[in-house]
Each structure stands twice: as structure tokens, then as C-alpha cells.
Amino acid sequence: MPIFDAQIRDLSGLARQGRRRRLIGRAGSDFSSNDYLGLAGSAVLAAAVTDAIGRGVPLGSGGSRLLRGNHVEHETLEEEAARFFGSESALFFSTGYAANAALLATLPQRGDLIVHDALVHASAHEGMQLGRADHRPAAHNDPDAFADAIGAWRDAGGVGRAWIVVESLYSMDGDRAPLPALAELAARHDAFLLIDEAHATGVFGPDGRGLAAAYDGAENIITLRTCGKALGCEGALLCGPQVMRDFLINRGRAFIFSTAPSPLIAAVVRAALRLLVDEPERRTRLQALIDAAETALAPYGAVATGSQIVPIVLGDEARTMRAAERLQAAGFDVRGIRPPTVPAGTSRLRVSLTLNVGPGDVAALADALGDALS
Ligand SMILES: Cc1ncc(COP(=O)(O)O)c(C=O)c1O
């Protein structure tokens, strides 16, 4: 019996269901990355790397932030990010996954209740499972469902704090959370509101500060700004009150027991934030691409979301994966998304728009979709 027999059986099961994943190289026009502003390979961020190396910024941090790993670049980034987003403080993590998981595993306390949107990211689930608070889902984008869950919990004797956990722009649907209603609900219940801005940061809001920009600075609001999507780098910033930062530094195991992010990357994220202000035309160009794609892809069932995430929901898993393969063979990097990433029966092509393509590529994709879906 091979020592990995359980894992081999599991992989065979996935293969039988047609769900065994494999890594494929990057090829074709970019209709799948989250590099929305085309910054990942940009000359301006490459120059920021060179400049930081010239200033002696090291690639490796060498340790945890609480030991030798803390670098002035981390702290400067956090100060600049807090100023930029309008929060009292910010804390930098190596990934958005780690930040979301650390936050939800650490801040909500035993006796609290987390009510999360049914579609929140896997990293939020990871944190909730690790943490001590109870948690339950609320119907997607339905403020009444959140209110009902908190009300039922209070009626049943819940005395802790309520936490409302949402994304401002959903990564697989491109739709937006009803933030005004949720912020009002949070205020009414003295609840916390956690807003994951992974897909809105850099793309929406004044100077690209996101869809939650209006709420930063409130004492019950925490936002997550990932740096690996529109900012073209990696890592993530948790923005919120100073006590949030202090608590994570003292109690957040994923922060304490992990090597600090690269100071070089922190320096480049600083440059990416500056660039959001200096080059607003990137957002204008992306918006024009969104408008063009909504028109060109509508005949193929594309949902107009007003965002750079354009789902074409086909429902059937096999048909979705077949269409994605055909598009890839035709030179378009479009990925099929299926359960468990999205709910059963909602398999889809997730077309994401970035400045790595232009209007001509969008028109060509529309042509190719006709064949791919036939
Ligand atoms: C909504 C959302 N939150 C968090 C994350 C995790 O961020 P990162 O990729 O930086 O780990 C992602 C990544 O896909 C995401 O889509």
C-alpha cells in the first residue's frame, strides 16, 4: 500500500468527477488575471524596485516583525496607507489570505457572532474556523438577512459583539455589497463591519481608494486592501483603528509567528499607492474597456456588472470547462470557474478585464465566444 494511499484515492475521486486541478502556464491574451491596472509588469513598478534596491532595501526581512524582521519600509508603508485610505492605522501582511484569516481568527471573541455574506472568500472562512466566535451565513447581498441573523441571535440571548463580514466587490460575480445599508445596520447594532476590498482597491473610489473609502476612519469599520490585484504587487493591508493593529501585533498568531513580508515589496506597494494618485488615466482606460466589454459580450450572456469582473454564467460544469478550453486554444486566457469555488449550477466563464488587453482584444474575444459556446 503506498504511503500516500488516502491522498491518491482522493485525487482519483476528483479526477473521476472531472475536478482534478492542474497548473497550466500563462498563455494567450489576459482575460483572467486580477492585474486590473496592468501594473504587475509595468516599467513604473520595475523602476520602484530598482530605486528601492539602490536605497539598500533588502529583499528578505530575516524574521518576524516582532523580532529582527521589522523594517522601516513596513512601517512607512503602513503610515502612508493609513493616510491614503483614511484609517487610523494599517498593518501589512504577506497575503490577503493571511490577513483575512488572521483578522477573523483573532479579533472576534468567544460569545461574539460573525454574520458573513454567503459568498465571502475562502480566506474569511479559514479565519472563522480558526477563531472562537460563532459564525453563520446570510443570503448574498441581502441586508435584511444580516439584520434577521443578528436579531435572532440577540433574541436567543447573544450578548457579545456582532461582526458583519462582506466583500465590497464580489470576485466571481462582479456585483457590489449594499454598503450604506450594512454600515447603518452595523451602527444600529454596535456591530463591527469588515469589508474586503480585494477587487475594488485601485479600481473604484476617489483616487482608487475603493468602494469603502467613505467608511474608513469609523471605529467599527475594518477594511482589507490586497496588494496583489490592481496594485500589481503582493501582500495586503488591514486598515482600521489603532487598537485593531495593536491587538493583531499582540494576539495574531499569523502575524507573530511568521516571517515579515519582503521590505522590497513594501517599498513597491508604496510606489503603487502613489501611482493610483499620479495616473488616474489608468482607471479611466479600464472603465472604457468595461463599457466596451459589456456591449460586446452581452449577446453571449455576459452579466453587465459595471465592474472589471464580467461573469458569463453557463450553469453546466462540463460545458463551461469545454468553452474555456476552446477559448484558450484560440489564444484567449479565459478560465472556467466551477464548484466548489462557485455554487453548484452556476459554473461560469469569469472574464476579467485588465489594461493588459485593449478594445481590439475584447472585440476578438467576442468573436471567439460565438464558436466556443456553440
Ligand atoms: C475577496 C478576496 N479576499 C482575499 C483574497 C486573498 O488575497 P491574496 O490573493 O492576496 O491572498 C482574495 C484572493 O483571491 C480575494 O478574492
Side-chain angles (χ1 to χ4, degrees):
M1 184 89 76
I3 195 163
F4 275 119
D5 63 318
Q7 293 79 4
I8 290 167
R9 266 201 316 277
D10 188 39
L11 286 171
S12 305
L14 288 174
R16 269 197 308 282
Q17 298 164 40
R19 287 192 181 172
R20 183 163 171 173
R21 302 168 205 246
R22 64 194 173 84
L23 300 174
I24 57 174
R26 56 166 75 185
S29 323
D30 178 7
F31 283 104
S32 71
S33 84
N34 303 317
D35 181 23
Y36 302 125
L37 297 178
L39 291 181
S42 66
V44 59
L45 290 196
V49 175
T50 311
D51 172 73
I53 290 173
R55 289 190 283 117
V57 177
L59 173 62
S61 63
S64 160
R65 290 281 298 274
L66 284 170
L67 300 172
R68 176 93 182 167
N70 194 33
H71 193 277
V72 66
E73 284 296 329
H74 298 129
E75 299 206 30
T76 308
L77 166 62
E78 289 165 348
E79 281 161 22
E80 289 176 357
R83 238 188 340 270
F84 179 68
F85 290 113
S87 57
E88 198 175 78
S89 78
L91 191 62
F92 188 47
F93 283 78
S94 300
T95 67
Y97 194 101
N100 227 354
L103 180 75
L104 284 162
T106 310
L107 264 90
Q109 301 294 296
R110 199 180 303 287
D112 289 358
L113 175 73
I114 304 171
V115 184
H116 64 87
D117 189 281
L119 298 188
V120 287
H121 192 255
S123 51
H125 286 277
E126 183 84 10
M128 291 188 285
Q129 269 153 27
L130 285 171
R132 287 176 293 271
D134 285 340
H135 45 96
R136 59 190 67 151
H140 177 55
N141 275 351
D142 180 355
D144 291 341
F146 284 83
D148 290 349
I150 296 173
W153 171 66
R154 288 281 185 227
D155 289 347
V159 291
R161 291 260 170 222
W163 298 73
I164 296 169
V165 177
V166 298
E167 292 171 26
S168 56
L169 180 70
Y170 283 86
S171 58
M172 294 298 147
D173 294 82
D175 57 345
R176 298 168 186 210
L179 290 182
L182 292 169
E184 189 275 323
L185 179 70
R188 187 151 34 95
H189 285 276
D190 251 342
F192 287 98
L193 174 58
L194 266 51
I195 308 171
D196 181 340
E197 286 260 72
H199 295 273
T201 302
V203 177
F204 293 107
D207 287 334
R209 285 189 278 120
L211 293 167
Y215 304 98
D216 278 290
E219 72 172 356
N220 66 331
I221 306 259
I222 297 173
T223 59
L224 171 71
R225 265 65 189 234
T226 60
C227 311
K229 303 184 194 297
L231 297 185
C233 306
E234 64 180 25
L237 291 149
L238 279 174
C239 302
Q242 185 66 43
V243 61
M244 168 209 80
R245 185 173 187 275
D246 287 348
F247 197 76
L248 284 165
I249 290 171
N250 282 277
R251 293 287 187 201
R253 294 173 64 82
F255 180 87
I256 298 167
F257 297 107
S258 186
T259 298
S262 160
L264 190 57
I265 295 293
V268 182
V269 173
R270 291 178 58 204
L273 292 180
R274 285 195 297 274
L275 196 134
L276 293 185
V277 179
D278 294 346
E279 298 190 10
E281 64 276 9
R282 285 185 188 260
R283 282 188 294 286
T284 311
R285 275 165 53 212
L286 183 59
Q287 190 56 55
L289 209 56
I290 293 169
D291 296 343
E294 288 190 344
T295 307
L297 306 185
Y300 307 101
V303 181
T305 61
S307 85
Q308 75 281 17
I309 298 165
V310 186
I312 301 177
V313 180
L314 301 177
D316 183 71
E317 216 174 304
R319 182 169 179 238
T320 302
M321 300 321 281
R322 210 169 37 244
E325 274 168 27
R326 285 179 178 169
L327 287 170
Q328 287 158 19
F332 301 93
D333 190 359
V334 174
R335 304 294 168 105
I337 311 286
R338 57 185 162 168
T341 307
V342 291
T346 71
S347 291
R348 69 198 61 191
L349 299 172
R350 175 187 186 268
V351 176
S352 85
L353 299 167
T354 72
L355 294 189
N356 298 324
V357 298
D361 300 298
V362 170
L365 172 65
D367 286 345
L369 265 168
D371 288 339
L373 295 176
S374 61

